[in-house]
Amino acid sequence: MKGISKKSFPYVVKDEQSLPREEQTTFWIRPAVGDRMAESQAIFERNKLRDERGNEIFDKNLSYRASVETFLHMIEKVENYRFHEDSPNYADGKIYEVVEDPRMLVDLYQGLQQNVLLEIVEVHMKPGLALKRVEEKKVGDYDVASILEGSR
């Protein structure tokens, strides 16, 4: 039986799919299948505060920490990325071929637009959407259809 592979797969967000390859940022997304799905949910559970009655208390710092931890859990690496000029990793407009260091990925996370984050989360949770979105075409140098197909 074939299904979605547990391996990370490349994904270019919708807003960049029509750009030339050299201008596209590629996110290597770990699909939320099997144990990864449970871990994604556990991250938010670990970062909740409760009062003496067991009611959940919203804590902005814990919520942010859970969001960052979830992003690091979802993303293996990012290719072809230019940090925003306010970023400590900004290097005169340099494009980083690969960003894998967790500290740099956190900085990258902080600079992403909300719609991009939501799209990445959606593709992480439903990896088949990546295949549908690119209509079985190649994204950059990667054949998404062959990467997404695999045995569980």
Side-chain angles (χ1 to χ4, degrees), residues 70-124:
T70 300
F71 182 78
L72 293 175
H73 179 73
M74 291 185 306
I75 301 297
E76 177 184 341
K77 63 184 175 182
V78 179
E79 296 174 337
N80 200 39
Y81 187 76
R82 180 180 323 196
F83 285 91
H84 187 272
E85 57 189 37
D86 293 338
S87 163
N89 290 299
Y90 179 75
D92 293 327
K94 173 188 172 191
I95 295 176
Y96 287 80
E97 287 184 32
V98 179
V99 178
E100 294 179 284
D101 179 84
R103 290 177 301 266
M104 291 179 78
L105 285 170
V106 169
D107 186 27
L108 187 150
Y109 164 82
Q110 293 170 336
L112 291 177
Q113 296 175 343
Q114 188 68 25
N115 65 320
V116 171
L117 287 170
L118 291 173
E119 185 176 342
I120 290 168
V121 169
E122 183 180 36
V123 171
H124 164 72

Side-chain angles (χ1 to χ4, degrees), residues 33-63:
V33 293
D35 294 343
R36 257 194 224 116
M37 176 73 80
E39 179 61 22
S40 290
Q41 294 167 342
I43 289 169
F44 279 95
E45 289 301 316
R46 281 196 306 267
N47 288 292
K48 285 185 179 176
L49 284 179
R50 299 205 181 268
D51 64 15
E52 63 278 352
R53 294 186 203 158
N55 297 320
E56 189 176 327
I57 302 170
F58 177 77
D59 182 281
K60 185 177 179 179
N61 292 330
L62 287 178
S63 177

